[in-house]
Amino acid sequence: MTTAASRIVHRETIALHITAAQVKTFIITPERILDYYPDGFDGGVIEAGRSIYCRAKSGISLLELVEEESYDKKIVVKVTTASHIKPPYTKDRIKAATFFTMIEDWEIEPTDQGSVLTKTWRDIKKYKMKFMPMSFLVRRGAKSESAVLQKAWNKAV
């Protein structure tokens, strides 16, 4: 749940021509995350409907559903990003090499034309390279991801 203590890095609203049900399915699907994941080239399912990974030249991210904070119109995902690990990609191996974590809130509202997705990036924690301006980097990446997500997801159905 987003609370007053949450540190919001960026929030964006994206109009989509796909249903709210399709958006919910796409959120935990590696192929759909790779549609916009920065420089992503590989992904896979770790636990169906609950966790996936996506790889890029900069590292690997574990996306895990946070069930206790998710409900019908909101999906909450914890993103754990690691670097310098080799296959097999498991939760434990990715978490052992954590560089940073953050939370993504995906609020989904059905509309007559499809749905509106409000995506919030928040609560970044760094575990390595403390000098890197992660909030700035996440915000910059988020701004460029949204248009790519919108185009790719509308085309995917």
Side-chain angles (χ1 to χ4, degrees), residues 13 20 46-47 50 79 88 97 128 146 151 156:
T13 300
I46 293 177
E47 189 177 350
R50 300 185 66 175
V79 179
K128 297 177 183 172
S146 296
K151 184 178 178 182

Side-chain angles (χ1 to χ4, degrees), residues 20 24 70-76 105-110 116-118:
K24 288 180 193 178
S70 300
Y71 54 92
D72 186 44
K73 292 186 177 185
K74 183 176 181 180
I75 305 297
V76 179
D105 297 323
W106 301 68
E107 297 174 73
I108 308 150
E109 193 65 43
V116 171
L117 170 64
T118 301

Side-chain angles (χ1 to χ4, degrees), residues 74-142:
K74 183 176 181 180
I75 305 297
V76 179
V77 175
K78 181 176 183 180
V79 179
T80 302
T81 301
S83 58
H84 304 103
I85 64 170
K86 304 251 184 244
Y89 303 115
T90 66
K91 284 184 188 183
D92 291 340
R93 294 191 74 228
I94 295 168
K95 288 179 179 182
T98 299
F99 167 56
F100 81 96
T101 61
M102 70 178 169
I103 301 295
E104 294 181 352
D105 297 323
W106 301 68
E107 297 174 73
I108 308 150
E109 193 65 43
T111 67
D112 291 339
Q113 292 79 35
S115 56
V116 171
L117 170 64
T118 301
K119 190 171 175 191
T120 304
W121 293 259
R122 64 178 169 94
D123 299 338
I124 293 174
K125 286 176 79 176
K126 289 187 283 182
Y127 298 86
K128 297 177 183 172
M129 299 173 75
K130 301 274 186 182
F131 62 88
M132 285 191 77
M134 288 311 300
S135 293
F136 169 78
L137 295 171
V138 167
R139 187 178 306 108
R140 186 177 69 185

Side-chain angles (χ1 to χ4, degrees), residues 2 8 13 33 40 57 62 64-65 116 128 137 146 151:
T2 306
I8 294 174
T13 300
I33 298 301
K57 65 181 179 182
L62 167 68
E64 297 178 279
L65 178 66
V116 171
K128 297 177 183 172
L137 295 171
S146 296
K151 184 178 178 182

